[in-house]
Amino acid sequence: ITFNQAMKLDVSGNVGIGQTVPVNRLHVSGADGYAYLKLTSDSTGHTASDGSRIGLNGNDLRIINAEAASILFQTQNTERMRITSTGEIVTGGLTSSTGQLHLYKADATGGKLVLQSQVASDATAKISMMSRLLDNTNKTAYIEAYRGNINFGGESGYGNVGIGTTTPAHPFHITKELAGYQAYFNNDNGSAQG
């Protein structure tokens, strides 16, 4: 009878599965490029398609929940973020959202998104948004921060800014159905309306 070693418990208390020289308390290695830790319970079932897995697929780290349920991230025993079963990312204790990313904070400072680029001088921070046209081409508009200023732009022929309209025909297009000024400008020297 020939025995092949499948698990190693060394003198320091490290356990190796598929690894004869474990370097951590539990060291799982897969010679075929796959190394997963499987987690199941009586409520999930115990088959290959049940529960959750965390591990390596080639060089990629994968966190897999096979159930129709969320993945939660907690610190100080409090939920900080979750990925819902339908793919939304929410924070602040929310359990669902109508958007793909929803930042929530239940205090006066509110949810904040901070983008900072500091690789070199004159670096920019940018949020790009892509939408599909009727001819099935994608066009990109963006909001860009540069040297403390904000720029709204887009691809050539696009990038108009609309207030009260989703189809601005000019670089800055304001639509207001009620009577009154369309714009109000105010500075230390006075104000002007238009």
Side-chain angles (χ1 to χ4, degrees):
I1 300 175
T2 301
F3 294 97
N4 293 318
Q5 186 180 53
M7 185 173 71
K8 171 74 175 288
L9 173 61
D10 67 14
V11 294
S12 62
N14 292 341
V15 176
I17 299 176
Q19 174 58 253
T20 58
V21 186
V23 297
N24 289 100
R25 286 294 179 249
L26 177 61
H27 187 161
V28 180
S29 179
D32 58 356
Y34 300 93
Y36 283 98
L37 175 65
K38 179 75 169 179
L39 303 170
T40 64
S41 68
D42 288 345
S43 63
T44 66
H46 303 286
T47 71
S49 60
D50 292 327
S52 300
R53 291 183 293 160
I54 181 170
L56 291 176
N57 187 329
N59 292 329
D60 294 327
L61 174 67
R62 295 194 177 188
I63 302 172
I64 302 169
N65 186 352
E67 306 299 317
S70 300
I71 297 175
L72 279 62
F73 299 85
Q74 295 182 321
T75 63
Q76 296 184 4
N77 204 32
T78 301
E79 180 181 332
R80 306 300 184 184
M81 184 180 78
R82 74 167 57 199
I83 303 173
T84 70
S85 62
T86 51
E88 294 89 10
I89 299 173
V90 297
T91 68
L94 296 179
T95 58
S96 64
S97 176
T98 56
Q100 290 300 108
L101 175 62
H102 191 149
L103 305 181
Y104 174 77
K105 191 175 182 183
D107 62 29
T109 62
K112 294 181 180 179
L113 176 64
V114 177
L115 303 179
Q116 180 177 353
S117 180
Q118 200 169 326
V119 176
S121 60
D122 286 344
T124 63
K126 182 185 287 187
I127 299 175
S128 294
M129 294 158 280
M130 184 179 293
S131 61
R132 187 171 289 271
L133 304 184
L134 290 175
D135 63 0
N136 286 325
T137 60
N138 293 318
K139 297 298 179 184
T140 300
Y142 57 81
I143 303 171
E144 181 180 39
Y146 177 68
R147 291 184 176 178
N149 300 307
I150 293 292
N151 173 44
F152 295 85
E155 295 184 36
S156 178
Y158 297 88
N160 292 341
V161 176
I163 297 178
T165 176
T166 58
T167 56
H170 307 283
F172 188 51
H173 186 155
I174 301 175
T175 297
K176 186 181 180 198
E177 297 180 0
L178 300 176
Y181 295 114
Q182 297 291 321
Y184 185 89
F185 305 92
N186 189 13
N187 59 33
D188 292 340
N189 297 319
S191 62
Q193 299 85 29

